[in-house]
Amino acid sequence: MEMEPLVKLPWHGHETIESIPSLLDRAEQIEITLPANYNHALFRILHPDQEHARLEVIDASGGPELLAKIATVSGLEGLVALTGALTAAQAKVRVASPPTIVITLPAANLRP
């Protein structure tokens, strides 16, 4: 089966979360675009030691545990439900500005 190189999803809360498990074996990367108003809250969660920054730029990478961390932001709590499936899929997670979550699956590493 041919894998999609990138699947882009806009954030629609639980609807978006529920669609991700079925994409894990069909996509190399899944990109979730969050509303711009999440940038500040995500920056504070991911960079708690930073003083107030003039420009809050997010660039954090890790495993599925990163989703558990950002799931502490109001409105994103449901993301914690994906950690088990992403761990089983050996996925990597990146959170960046503008507020975007990129899930990279091992199939992306097989691409020449």
Side-chain angles (χ1 to χ4, degrees), residues 1 7 24 28 32 35 42 53 56 61 74-76 78 83 85 92-93 95 100:
M1 174 167 80
V7 174
L24 294 178
E28 293 177 11
I32 305 164
L42 290 170
E56 297 178 332
S61 297
S74 180
L76 301 179
T83 57
K92 301 290 183 204
V93 176
V95 182
T100 306

Side-chain angles (χ1 to χ4, degrees), residues 1-82:
M1 174 167 80
E2 183 89 14
M3 302 278 286
E4 289 290 325
L6 176 64
V7 174
K8 293 184 175 193
L9 302 172
W11 179 249
H12 293 296
H14 288 289
E15 180 183 316
T16 302
I17 294 167
E18 291 172 4
S19 70
I20 291 173
S22 67
L23 296 172
L24 294 178
D25 62 350
R26 299 186 351 218
E28 293 177 11
Q29 286 191 321
I30 302 166
E31 180 181 286
I32 305 164
T33 304
L34 299 170
N37 61 341
Y38 279 109
N39 200 76
H40 175 72
L42 290 170
F43 182 83
R44 300 298 338 140
I45 291 293
L46 296 171
H47 304 288
D49 55 329
Q50 297 270 329
E51 291 295 321
H52 289 287
R54 194 166 178 203
L55 183 60
E56 297 178 332
V57 178
I58 303 166
D59 189 6
S61 297
E65 70 280 353
L66 188 56
L67 282 186
K69 191 170 190 174
I70 66 172
T72 62
V73 172
S74 180
L76 301 179
E77 300 91 348
L79 288 171
V80 76
L82 295 173

